[in-house]
Amino acid sequence: MLEFANVSKSFWTGKQRKVILDRASFRVELGNSLGILAPNGTGKTTVINMMAGLEKPDEGEINRACRISFPLGFMGGVVNRHTGTENVRYIARLYGLDPDYVEAFVRWLANIDEYFDLAVGTYSSGMRSRFCFSIMLALDFDIYLIDEGMPSTTDVEFNRRAGAILRDRLKDATVIIVSHQAATLEKFCRSAAVLNHGQLTMFETLEEAKQLYDYETQG
């Protein structure tokens, strides 16, 4: 279970205060994946980062009673001066997993050859994306967080292998995905919410959420 209780979050842009969430309260139960529709610039990534614990709310509480992933494609959890091997084995120990298994899995999936034993700071953007994505797939979570703005890779073979593994993971996991397009949510979610102007409105179905979203963004 993931729960937001009267959570507020805002930023000062230099000219005005941008409100991301204003006293939002909702709960995501395991087995009931949630899609959040939000126009660009409304704080989708901030909300996902708060769910993962990467950002703190200004007010309210976020309760996590299950294993929640870092955002899919998140690239801030590795240390540039450390090698791929060092990063992977450290993260494995953090999650109480076998470092040998996690290292072998990430080496196979990322397929970056000798770079695995070099500092992550030497990686190209594509190699770093594959490396970080592979780490996430090596771990096991109850809720997977997906941000439509996450980094992507153009490596066709990697996308094929990683996509197959992700689809298998999601068969038994709960997904929370944020997007500005309803079509992105349809394959994952039954219930949905609309985020706009700091207000998060929950709906039992994606169709209901789409109606409000279309009215607010097109009407």
Side-chain angles (χ1 to χ4, degrees), residues 11-126:
F11 294 103
W12 177 250
T13 66
K15 295 183 179 180
Q16 61 182 352
R17 183 155 293 280
K18 179 180 178 62
V19 177
I20 305 299
L21 284 178
D22 182 15
R23 297 184 298 275
S25 294
F26 63 93
R27 177 183 294 191
V28 180
E29 300 286 356
L30 296 184
N32 186 24
S33 294
L34 173 69
I36 300 177
L37 282 169
N40 288 326
T42 54
K44 296 187 296 294
T45 298
T46 299
V47 172
I48 281 286
N49 286 345
M50 290 169 66
M51 292 177 176
L54 299 174
E55 294 193 38
K56 295 182 178 180
D58 298 332
E59 298 177 351
E61 293 185 356
I62 301 175
N63 302 310
R64 304 173 186 86
C66 60
R67 297 165 299 173
I68 300 175
S69 79
F70 41 87
L72 196 63
F74 174 66
M75 300 172 71
V78 298
V79 181
N80 282 338
R81 68 178 181 275
H82 292 168
T83 67
T85 302
E86 291 168 335
N87 274 287
V88 164
R89 296 184 72 85
Y90 175 72
I91 291 171
R93 287 191 290 269
L94 279 180
Y95 283 89
L97 299 174
D98 179 4
D100 291 339
Y101 164 76
V102 175
E103 179 186 344
F105 180 94
V106 177
R107 278 184 181 272
W108 166 76
L109 183 57
N111 193 28
I112 56 176
D113 299 323
E114 68 273 12
Y115 282 93
F116 206 90
D117 297 307
L118 299 180
V120 171
T122 66
Y123 294 3
S124 68
S125 60

Side-chain angles (χ1 to χ4, degrees), residues 25-29 32-38 51 174-179 181-196 199-214:
S25 294
F26 63 93
R27 177 183 294 191
V28 180
E29 300 286 356
N32 186 24
S33 294
L34 173 69
I36 300 177
L37 282 169
M51 292 177 176
T174 302
V175 179
I176 301 176
I177 179 170
V178 292
S179 177
Q181 295 181 322
T184 306
L185 310 182
E186 289 174 351
K187 65 180 71 173
F188 294 108
C189 307
R190 288 176 294 179
S191 60
V194 175
L195 173 65
N196 205 8
Q199 299 298 316
L200 188 75
T201 307
M202 300 288 291
F203 295 93
E204 292 187 1
T205 67
L206 177 57
E207 284 303 316
E208 292 175 295
K210 285 168 60 177
Q211 291 180 16
L212 175 62
Y213 183 71
D214 290 343

